Amino acid sequence: MPNLEPKPPSPYPYTLGGVNLTLWSLKMIAGTGIMALGALYGVSAYKIFALLFSAPAKGVSGLMLVSFLVGIPFSMGLLIAYFVKRRKLAGWAGSSVLSVLSVALLVFAAGALLREGILCIVMALPIFIVLAILGVIFAALGSLLGLSNSPKLLSVGLFMPFMLAPLEQRLPATTLHQTVTQSIFIAAPPATIWQHINYPLNIQKAEFKDGLIYQIGAPYPIEARTLEGRVGGLRALQWERGVKFAEIITAWEPNHYIAWDYKFTADSFPPGSLDEHIVIGGHYFNVESTAYVLQPEANGTRLTIQVNTSVSTNFNHYADFWARFLITDTAKTLLQFYKTRAESPSPRALSSRV
């Protein structure tokens, strides 16, 4: 005969489509708490590195240390994987998702609460996500060896970045130079383009709207003026947010070739005008020189730009990738700007010359 005894009531009585809603809700709450815990660790590390390992007078930031950029997101992955496994909330894939969400929460806090620049966030986000997932993978490998449940191992992982930071500060950063070259055909004579290069005035934001670096927060240019048309002469530039600097002409062949070195001073970039860690001419990044070559071609001119930059970090290969990517995009934007102006029937820029 069938067992007619009543079954004991479930401690989680609410279900929908076979899913226990109460249990699911409890897991969601626990998962959200673990995600927030990982983000809290990241925000705390952000503040500690910024305060203890920075030297503002020298333009040095603790947030540019490999021990922060690599160690902290990796440790966030370890932390989340440890608690997810301990609470039996999800598998390693679920831990990876929570670690990515935790990184997203950290990035939001860095931008909205800690006033981190959007350019730094865009550059750091990919490596943060990858390293957080690697932290989860490392925890999974440790689980195979029976180590992932060890609080001592977790403690070592969480404190390791802070222990390595003082040692890393003693390492001299090397400098890596980049050269970016781009060209464009312009249906205008060299003399017209030459004038636009030397006197790009009344610049409108719409003329640089396609430049990625401007879309993610860099100030737009307003004007540039060649004050002395000769080798050793000066050019004066003005950008938004009070940015002003000079260029020293190093080559001058009218209608054919012009080159200059950049001259930045302590007040070239007012506070907040650029991301703190990517100030041009600062400790980590520099734009050294620019050159333009104008060559007659068919019924127009081939305009070529060459930009020389450098990065000085403990992660030059990653910084070099971003420097080349952003400078290449900016060079293309500049060439398109000169093409549009030179081919336009409107003499706006030239008539504004003083």
Side-chain angles (χ1 to χ4, degrees), residues 249-290:
I249 298 174
T250 57
W252 178 267
E253 300 177 26
N255 303 326
H256 175 61
Y257 182 69
I258 184 173
W260 55 74
D261 292 338
Y262 291 88
K263 182 180 180 181
F264 303 111
T265 62
D267 57 353
S268 289
F269 301 97
S273 58
L274 284 175
D275 283 6
E276 176 186 353
H277 315 119
I278 314 179
V279 172
I280 303 174
H283 187 80
Y284 302 106
F285 175 70
N286 192 25
V287 180
E288 298 172 344
S289 63
T290 294

Side-chain angles (χ1 to χ4, degrees), residues 315-327:
F315 48 95
N316 275 348
H317 292 293
Y318 187 72
D320 174 68
F321 164 79
W322 277 105
R324 289 183 183 276
F325 177 76
L326 292 173
I327 294 299

Side-chain angles (χ1 to χ4, degrees), residues 108-116:
F108 173 79
L113 304 178
L114 302 176
R115 304 299 182 185
E116 185 63 61

Side-chain angles (χ1 to χ4, degrees), residues 223-245:
E223 68 171 37
R225 299 171 183 264
T226 298
L227 304 180
E228 304 168 82
R230 60 178 178 82
V231 173
L234 291 178
R235 285 169 49 87
L237 286 85
Q238 182 178 350
W239 293 356
E240 289 181 323
R241 305 173 197 163
V243 175
K244 295 181 180 181
F245 57 94

Side-chain angles (χ1 to χ4, degrees), residues 330-351:
T330 304
K332 291 178 179 179
T333 303
L334 281 167
L335 292 176
Q336 185 60 50
F337 164 76
Y338 289 122
K339 176 180 176 67
T340 301
R341 283 209 165 183
E343 293 179 350
S344 172
S346 172
R348 170 178 54 183
L350 297 183
S351 63

Side-chain angles (χ1 to χ4, degrees), residues 12 19-35 83-84 87-91 98:
Y12 308 113
V19 176
N20 191 310
L21 294 181
T22 305
L23 184 59
W24 179 83
S25 298
L26 291 174
K27 286 188 175 183
M28 286 293 295
I29 293 172
T32 301
I34 292 172
M35 178 188 69
F83 280 102
V84 167
R87 299 295 180 183
K88 299 180 180 180
L89 296 177
L98 283 178

Side-chain angles (χ1 to χ4, degrees), residues 4 59 62-63 67 115 125 134 140 157 170 172 178 191 199 216 232 259 303:
L4 300 179
L63 303 178
S67 46
R115 304 299 182 185
L125 184 58
L134 286 177
R170 300 179 182 180
Q178 305 88 21
Y199 303 97
I216 59 178
L303 178 62

